Amino acid sequence: MGNRLKDKVALITGGARGIGWSIAELFAAEGARIVISDVNEVLLKEAEGRLKSAGAEGIGIKSDVTNPDQVEEMVKKTVDKFGKINILVNNAGITRDGLLMRMSEADWDAVLSVNLKGAFLCSRAASKVMIKQRYGKIINIASIVGIRGNAGQANYAASKGGLIALTKTLAKELGSRNVLVNAIAPGFIRTDMTDKLSEDSQKAILSRIPLNRFGEAADVAKTALFLPGAESDYVTGAVLQVDGGIVM
Ligand code: NAP
């Protein structure tokens, strides 16, 4: 265990599994107090248990990032429990892939709602606390697909491109209050989200990755660790690609 994030409070959405969990685990190992939020109560309880058995101080809060009341409540509960929020990781995300001609409005709305509106609602609620503190770091988990587009993911790519634009806009709005906002754009990372892809698609992606391997959730977490620490106190509005070099 290190202490790079000692005395910091981190709120991580969609943190019960995948990349969000890896970030929670690493930030906790570096001394942060953790709030994991997620929609899945069973997974949330399990994640809370894992944090406790690792000796970390952390709680789980059931909250849907698309619901403004639940988001406000999540931020309130975090402040009630730990007194502040230093770090918000907007990680909750979903896919509903399909070609444009076959994409339903429901699939478009669901993805935009979780991936983009969710980040807006959580940033709006948490930044009120951060502005009062005159300190905060917001980390948005975007995707390389939001930079270069991807056939079959119109909704997802638009949400992640929007998230990158939101990152830069909030960096400009909140910079004078010492609230820094950055994005991470992962490439292909092995999680439940990417396990859904066919073997053929996975092979085709691998052949284009210069580092010749898929990323792990821990690869994203290790990059995320750069952002809440003092090492990045002059970095805002940036998009850090964690993609093995697939987009350059
Ligand atoms: P994951 O394994 O599917 O985990 C996503 C988590 O978000 C799940 O725990 C999920 O809960 C939660 N979630 C979904 N909807 C939510 C909502 N409305 N409110 C709160 N939580 C919600 O996905 P992942 O691969 O770790 O992805 C995490 C982030 O990284 C996403 O934003 C994703 O777009 C991004 N990303 C992933 C990759 C990759 O290759 N894996 C690449 C680029 C970017 P449930 O358990 O209930 O579903």
Side-chain angles (χ1 to χ4, degrees):
M1 292 248 285
N3 63 359
R4 287 172 65 177
L5 301 182
K6 191 170 173 286
D7 298 329
K8 300 262 198 279
V9 175
L11 169 55
I12 299 155
T13 69
R17 64 188 168 106
I19 292 171
W21 164 251
S22 246
I23 293 173
E25 192 179 29
L26 184 60
F27 283 16
E30 288 292 341
R33 283 168 286 167
I34 303 290
V35 176
I36 293 174
S37 87
D38 212 293
V39 274
N40 186 319
E41 211 158 358
V42 177
L43 289 179
L44 195 59
K45 282 273 161 247
E46 286 171 12
E48 211 177 18
R50 290 197 300 275
L51 277 179
K52 291 225 159 68
S53 42
E57 215 182 320
I59 55 167
I61 298 175
K62 185 175 184 295
S63 174
D64 181 340
V65 294
T66 68
N67 181 315
D69 294 337
Q70 290 185 22
V71 167
E72 293 289 338
E73 188 60 23
M74 166 184 84
V75 165
K76 186 180 175 305
K77 280 182 183 163
T78 303
V79 175
D80 286 350
K81 172 79 182 165
F82 293 125
K84 58 180 182 172
I85 304 176
N86 301 105
I87 305 155
L88 166 68
V89 184
N90 284 312
N91 166 80
I94 60 168
T95 52
R96 296 279 186 280
D97 296 350
L99 293 171
L100 179 67
M101 294 303 154
R102 285 197 289 267
M103 185 171 286
S104 66
E105 280 182 52
D107 284 348
W108 173 271
D109 289 344
V111 169
L112 268 291
S113 186
V114 176
N115 299 9
L116 186 53
K117 187 179 175 191
F120 152 66
L121 291 174
C122 295
S123 300
R124 189 177 63 177
S127 66
K128 285 179 201 150
V129 179
M130 291 174 169
I131 287 170
K132 275 198 207 128
Q133 294 167 175
R134 295 268 169 190
Y135 177 88
K137 299 245 178 143
I138 298 177
I139 303 170
N140 292 324
I141 308 299
S143 167
I144 52 163
V145 162
I147 299 169
R148 63 148 201 210
N150 197 25
Q153 288 197 308
N155 48 3
Y156 185 76
S159 75
K160 296 300 186 177
L163 187 55
I164 290 171
L166 179 69
T167 301
K168 293 178 181 179
T169 300
L170 298 189
K172 288 182 178 178
E173 273 189 34
L174 302 175
S176 63
R177 314 298 175 90
N178 201 30
V179 177
L180 282 62
V181 190
N182 292 289
I184 292 179
F188 186 106
I189 309 297
R190 272 189 196 288
T191 66
D192 294 342
M193 186 179 269
T194 46
D195 279 352
K196 290 181 219 158
L197 292 175
S198 70
E199 222 170 283
D200 282 352
S201 314
Q202 294 201 19
K203 265 192 199 149
I205 295 167
L206 186 60
S207 69
R208 291 188 283 118
I209 301 176
L211 290 186
N212 201 28
R213 69 170 178 91
F214 295 130
E216 302 296 334
D219 289 314
V220 181
K222 281 185 270 180
T223 301
L225 184 58
F226 166 67
L227 291 170
E231 297 83 356
S232 65
D233 277 349
Y234 200 57
V235 179
T236 196
V239 182
L240 304 180
Q241 289 176 219
V242 184
D243 65 0
I246 196 171
V247 173
M248 62 174 98

